[in-house]
Amino acid sequence: MAAPASAPADSRSRPAVRDVVFVDGVRTPFGKAGSKGLYAQTRADDMVVKVIRELLRRHPRLPAERIDEVAIAATTQTGDQGLTIGRSAALLAGLPKSVPGFAIDRMCAGAMTAVTTVSSGIAVGAYDVAIAGGVEHMGKHPMGDGVDPNPRYVSDQIVDPSALIMGSTAENLHDRFPTLTRQRTDAYAALSQLRYDGALQAGKITPDLVPVSTRSEQGWGLASTDEPPRPGTTFEALSGLKTPFRPHGRVTPGNAAGLNDGATGCLLADADTAAELGLPAGMRLVGYAFAGVEPEVMGVGPVPATEKALRRAGLSIDDIGLFEINEAFAVQVLAFLEHFGIADDDPRVNPWGGAIACGHPLASSGVRLMTQLSRHFAEHPEVRYGITTMCIGFGMGGTVIWENPNHDAGGAR
């Protein structure tokens, strides 16, 4: 007898959701944007090629033809960041022409969205292995370059005009939360520099960096370390910096990430395929969420995104043992910490420093957070869950929850 029209489809057409694992991540050293920066004469797509080739070099048991997708994010998709950069970089990297690719944009969360997008495809069986990442050459393509905002944003009072200037949105966040003082943000920024330098000296940072050949007026060189960090930065030095976004404001070049160039990339796979190919599982994806907020206070976006992700995963903030929070502005990180009752200097938060020290090449940063969290997991089997989270221009936040495959239930947190 035929099944009634309301009956569900044959279960064979609805495959079970598969576990997604973060295999590995790498990045180029981050440079300062501008004519004197590391990558002033380096193409953005060539930086992506470097990370793709390095991922394959590190995992020789992965046949290139087994890669099902290459998703690369860029905020300003023009010039050497255009031409569907996921596909064009895959071809330039020497992947088989059968490997497709695409470009993606969610401003600062571009690489994060590349990861969540292809992870969703892996979970439902559309892909087995994928590469996701991001690139931003802010020296060639400043944020907002070539953009033509609709005048109705302002005339119809859809957004406050300050929403179009990221530094102004950070000042607005200070206004919204008076307890987030400049003193606290400067202290946090000094701590970020200190932690980054400590991690660098301990050999934690360099293993994830892909050296890049560079060219300048002085000739050829090799980028092998991050350019933005300022070791020895003190609270006292930061307190003397000017506030460019508002007279007598609180946001300075010292308590915010700079303008940077760089690329990131990672390998993602379903757990069974990873095991078949002998690929390591650095993290298991638990869930993710994106949320919108008022564009003029975009820095608060990680708060509702994290609440949404935790709720959907059936977890609470107390279940999270490690946090990688993008440091677009110190005030944005502190807004998150204060909301969840976490101390400004909590050792679980950005243990190796963050973007205030190493830089924030917009669309690339999400994978940097994930790569570092994966490394933390390997060192902390007592931690079961961690999150990567970031604010996103024009009023959004994104959060991804990860599980530690090295977790020791005996020392659970």
Side-chain angles (χ1 to χ4, degrees), residues 112-146:
M112 176 179 281
T113 305
V115 167
T116 58
T117 299
V118 298
S119 292
S120 298
I122 292 170
V124 301
Y127 315 131
D128 292 330
V129 182
I131 290 176
V135 65
E136 211 73 55
H137 199 309
M138 300 182 75
K140 291 183 179 179
H141 312 292
M143 187 174 185
D145 185 38

Side-chain angles (χ1 to χ4, degrees), residues 84-135:
T84 314
I85 191 166
R87 171 62 170 172
S88 59
L91 292 171
L92 290 165
L95 295 184
K97 292 181 174 60
S98 58
V99 178
F102 65 96
I104 199 163
D105 172 26
R106 201 198 291 259
M107 291 193 172
C108 300
M112 176 179 281
T113 305
V115 167
T116 58
T117 299
V118 298
S119 292
S120 298
I122 292 170
V124 301
Y127 315 131
D128 292 330
V129 182
I131 290 176
V135 65

Side-chain angles (χ1 to χ4, degrees), residues 271-313:
D272 290 342
T273 300
E276 171 202 340
L277 297 173
L279 300 174
M283 304 189 290
R284 184 184 73 84
L285 180 66
V286 175
Y288 64 88
F290 294 91
V293 296
E294 298 162 88
E296 59 268 26
V297 287
M298 66 96 191
V300 79
V303 171
T306 298
E307 291 178 330
K308 187 176 181 181
L310 289 171
R311 182 173 65 252
R312 291 184 168 180

Side-chain angles (χ1 to χ4, degrees), residues 161-163 165-173 175 245-246 296 329:
S162 63
I165 304 171
M166 297 300 100
S168 295
T169 68
E171 289 285 6
N172 293 342
L173 204 54
D175 295 340
F245 300 104
R246 184 188 297 180
E296 59 268 26
F329 300 94

Side-chain angles (χ1 to χ4, degrees), residues 306 310-311 313-321 323 340 385 387 401:
T306 298
L310 289 171
R311 182 173 65 252
L315 299 172
S316 75
I317 199 69
D318 295 331
D319 293 310
I320 307 303
F323 299 81
F340 287 109
Y385 297 110
I387 66 170
I401 304 174

Side-chain angles (χ1 to χ4, degrees), residues 98-310:
S98 58
V99 178
F102 65 96
I104 199 163
D105 172 26
R106 201 198 291 259
M107 291 193 172
C108 300
M112 176 179 281
T113 305
V115 167
T116 58
T117 299
V118 298
S119 292
S120 298
I122 292 170
V124 301
Y127 315 131
D128 292 330
V129 182
I131 290 176
V135 65
E136 211 73 55
H137 199 309
M138 300 182 75
K140 291 183 179 179
H141 312 292
M143 187 174 185
D145 185 38
V147 171
D148 179 20
N150 195 305
R152 292 197 301 109
Y153 283 129
V154 176
S155 64
D156 293 3
Q157 298 183 347
I158 295 171
V159 299
D160 186 274
S162 63
L164 301 175
I165 304 171
M166 297 300 100
S168 295
T169 68
E171 289 285 6
N172 293 342
L173 204 54
H174 275 288
D175 295 340
R176 184 73 60 92
F177 303 103
T179 58
L180 304 180
T181 62
R182 174 170 175 180
Q183 288 73 25
R184 286 178 67 182
T185 57
D186 284 346
Y188 180 87
L191 179 62
S192 179
Q193 295 282 356
L194 179 65
R195 286 180 172 176
Y196 174 88
D197 190 54
L200 181 66
Q201 300 307 320
K204 308 290 189 183
I205 304 295
T206 306
D208 294 330
L209 303 185
V210 184
V212 179
S213 298
T214 60
R215 187 178 62 184
S216 68
E217 295 177 357
Q218 287 71 44
W220 288 93
L222 186 69
S224 58
T225 59
D226 292 320
E227 188 178 23
R230 297 180 293 276
T233 296
T234 64
F235 171 82
E236 290 74 21
L238 293 175
S239 64
L241 296 178
K242 295 182 179 180
T243 58
F245 300 104
R246 184 188 297 180
H248 310 293
R250 292 138 298 193
V251 179
T252 75
N255 58 35
L259 304 179
N260 306 112
D261 308 328
T264 61
C266 69
L267 277 173
L268 301 156
D270 83 279
D272 290 342
T273 300
E276 171 202 340
L277 297 173
L279 300 174
M283 304 189 290
R284 184 184 73 84
L285 180 66
V286 175
Y288 64 88
F290 294 91
V293 296
E294 298 162 88
E296 59 268 26
V297 287
M298 66 96 191
V300 79
V303 171
T306 298
E307 291 178 330
K308 187 176 181 181
L310 289 171

